[in-house]
Amino acid sequence: MEYPSVSFQNQERAAALNREICGLSAHAHAAMAQVARASAQFDAIGGWCAGGIRSFAHWMTIDTGFDVRTASELLRVGQALESLPLISEAFRAGQLSFDKVRQITTVATPASERVLLGVAQGASGAQLARICRELRRIAEAEAPKRADEQLARRGLWMHWDDEGMLVLMARLTPEDAAQLLREDPATRA
């Protein structure tokens, strides 16, 4: 289909439609923010737990018409927003779309929230998806390294001493040691 360019005669109409589309989109984004927040609260109280309903997403497909993936994402986003007040407020104000919020909540932390909010407000949806995908890749590449380094150094060694007694020596991760000792690793000095 060939589209005519905006002519002098229809510039005012194009500008009015532009304002209408942007305004309605902001209202839709704000409504999705309310849906995400209410979803997290509804799930937290088990509101969906009734005869035959298997999960929040299952309930949502029946009662709201969202597909399972969108329902799951709305719940995940709603839960993430509880610790991301700046992103939550921008979403509620209709300044960020659900698509953008869905992307940044996969990588945002309270410490990185302000920076990622600025990135999300300045990037297109496609640009933000690429940025967040790269941030997830970096985080995933670094996380196993730290865990693997600790796991590589852990071990259990044993030998028999001169008196015929078995001597055990272990090197454990803080989590494994806490489980063995039944203590909270955070309380250790």
Side-chain angles (χ1 to χ4, degrees):
M1 172 182 250
E2 196 171 305
Y3 295 99
S5 59
V6 176
S7 68
F8 182 73
Q9 293 82 15
N10 65 11
Q11 284 182 348
E12 284 184 35
R13 178 71 178 137
L17 287 169
N18 181 356
R19 286 189 303 276
E20 181 180 0
I21 291 166
C22 291
L24 290 171
S25 295
H27 287 296
H29 301 328
M32 287 298 280
Q34 290 176 306
V35 171
R37 190 164 217 59
S39 294
Q41 293 170 356
F42 189 68
D43 182 64
I45 64 170
W48 57 267
C49 298
I53 303 297
R54 297 183 303 269
S55 67
F56 170 81
H58 180 224
W59 168 83
M60 200 156 197
T61 62
I62 294 167
D63 281 23
T64 67
F66 287 108
D67 67 26
V68 173
R69 181 165 167 30
T70 304
S72 297
E73 281 295 285
L74 278 164
L75 176 58
R76 185 193 62 73
V77 165
Q79 292 167 336
L81 291 176
E82 292 175 8
S83 64
L84 302 168
L86 299 176
I87 293 170
S88 180
E89 182 53 38
F91 190 22
R92 270 198 308 260
Q95 297 167 356
L96 292 177
S97 69
F98 175 65
D99 292 328
K100 285 186 173 187
V101 174
R102 186 175 57 82
Q103 288 295 327
I104 60 175
T105 54
T106 64
V107 293
T109 64
S112 66
E113 176 183 24
R114 185 174 303 281
V115 170
L116 286 171
L117 174 58
V119 169
Q121 288 173 323
S124 72
Q127 290 168 331
L128 185 61
R130 284 192 301 274
I131 291 165
C132 291
R133 187 172 41 251
E134 189 62 22
L135 289 172
R136 284 190 302 275
R137 188 192 64 74
I138 291 167
E140 289 168 4
E142 289 177 354
K145 233 185 242 183
R146 288 185 291 247
D148 287 345
E149 287 171 4
Q150 276 195 328
L151 291 176
R153 291 194 328 254
R154 75 179 183 168
L156 176 66
W157 299 270
M158 63 179 185
H159 69 272
W160 296 96
D161 70 9
D162 295 335
E163 297 175 6
M165 301 201 43
L166 180 62
V167 176
L168 296 174
M169 184 164 50
R171 184 178 189 99
L172 303 173
T173 64
E175 295 77 19
D176 290 343
Q179 189 172 15
L180 177 68
L181 301 173
R182 295 178 194 250
E183 69 177 39
D184 182 357
T187 61
R188 293 185 57 227

